[in-house]
């Protein structure tokens, strides 16, 4: 059985963006714990959660935050588990602020960072990490990729059949 994934958000305002991540993890059959913990507003909870995460059965932590998005880095400071950051799009800077806050970690404390609002990819990356020790999950990821390829091939065939684009 795979380890759990924690999906930690800095605010409940991040939840709608993160729903596809939570759903994707569930679709892969991964147990998910969803929490609101802020690096700035509830720093003691961030430390406590990350410090105990490995012992509490988690294999990966996904951290979503916006603006001065330190959540992923702070969680990573307190655990050796892999931490995947999801920079949340912001109204003023479009999420570039969140992205740089996550991706520009100083050496020693790495955070894997997906695209701005890249919730789904965070789930897939977390699944790939857990699949290293879970052959069943690895098979489900193979199926997922095969389905995606079939879908794109079908779209390609459809567009090739259009007279609009033929010579
Ligand atoms: C961050 O600040 C959160 O992750 C959120 O993306 C952003 C705004 O939070 P709220 O003011 O909506 O609670 O900590």
């Amino acid at each position: 059985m795979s380890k759990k994934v924690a999906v930690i958000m800095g605010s409940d305002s991040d939840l709608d963006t993160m729903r596809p991540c939570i759903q994707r993890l569930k679709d892969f059959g991964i147990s998910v714990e969803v929490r609101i913990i802020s690096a700035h507003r509830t720093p003691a909870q961030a430390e406590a959660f990350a410090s105990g995460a490995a012992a509490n059965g988690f294999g990966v932590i996904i951290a979503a935050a916006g603006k001065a998005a330190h959540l992923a880095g702070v969680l990573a400071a307190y655990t050796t588990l892999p931490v995947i950051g999801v920079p949340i799009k912001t109204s003023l800077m479009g999420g570039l602020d969140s992205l740089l806050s996550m991706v520009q970690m100083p050496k020693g404390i790495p955070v894997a960072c997906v695209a701005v609002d890249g919730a789904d990819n965070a789930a897939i990356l977390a699944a790939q990490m857990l699949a290293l020790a879970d052959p069943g999950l690895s098979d489900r990821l193979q199926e997922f990729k095969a389905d995606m390829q079939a879908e794109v091939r079908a779209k390609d065939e459809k567009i090739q059949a259009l007279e609009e684009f033929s010579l």
Side-chain angles (χ1 to χ4, degrees):
M1 168 129 173
S2 259
K3 289 178 185 276
K4 297 182 286 182
V5 172
V7 176
I8 315 285
M9 291 167 278
S11 168
D12 60 350
S13 62
D14 303 323
L15 179 57
D16 280 345
T17 304
M18 291 307 291
R19 283 189 196 281
C21 171
I22 297 160
Q23 188 57 51
R24 179 72 70 193
L25 290 165
K26 286 185 173 176
D27 290 348
F28 281 134
I30 295 169
S31 301
V32 192
E33 189 170 316
V34 181
R35 299 283 303 272
I36 309 289
I37 299 176
S38 166
H40 307 119
R41 294 165 177 157
T42 58
Q45 278 72 21
E47 177 184 351
F49 183 88
S51 302
N56 288 327
F58 292 96
V60 181
I61 297 175
I62 295 174
K67 301 183 176 175
H70 299 132
L71 181 61
V74 167
L75 295 171
Y78 289 108
T79 182
T80 54
L81 293 177
V83 176
I84 302 169
V86 182
I88 299 291
K89 190 172 180 182
T90 53
S91 51
L92 197 61
M93 296 180 205
L96 184 60
D97 42 356
S98 322
L99 174 69
L100 294 178
S101 299
M102 284 186 182
V103 85
Q104 287 290 71
M105 285 297 291
K107 69 179 174 185
I109 309 290
V111 164
C113 185
V114 294
V116 173
D117 284 357
D120 199 4
N121 266 1
I124 297 163
L125 185 55
Q128 289 175 332
M129 290 170 175
L130 295 182
L132 289 170
D134 182 339
L137 180 55
S138 180
D139 290 345
R140 294 197 286 284
L141 278 159
Q142 295 281 5
E143 276 170 36
F144 168 75
K145 272 195 189 286
D147 289 350
M148 199 164 41
Q149 283 169 16
E151 210 174 290
V152 174
R153 280 202 303 270
K155 286 177 184 172
D156 181 44
E157 278 165 24
K158 203 170 159 191
I159 209 162
Q160 286 189 69
L162 289 179
E163 246 178 60
E164 190 185 349
F165 301 124
S166 62
L167 294 172

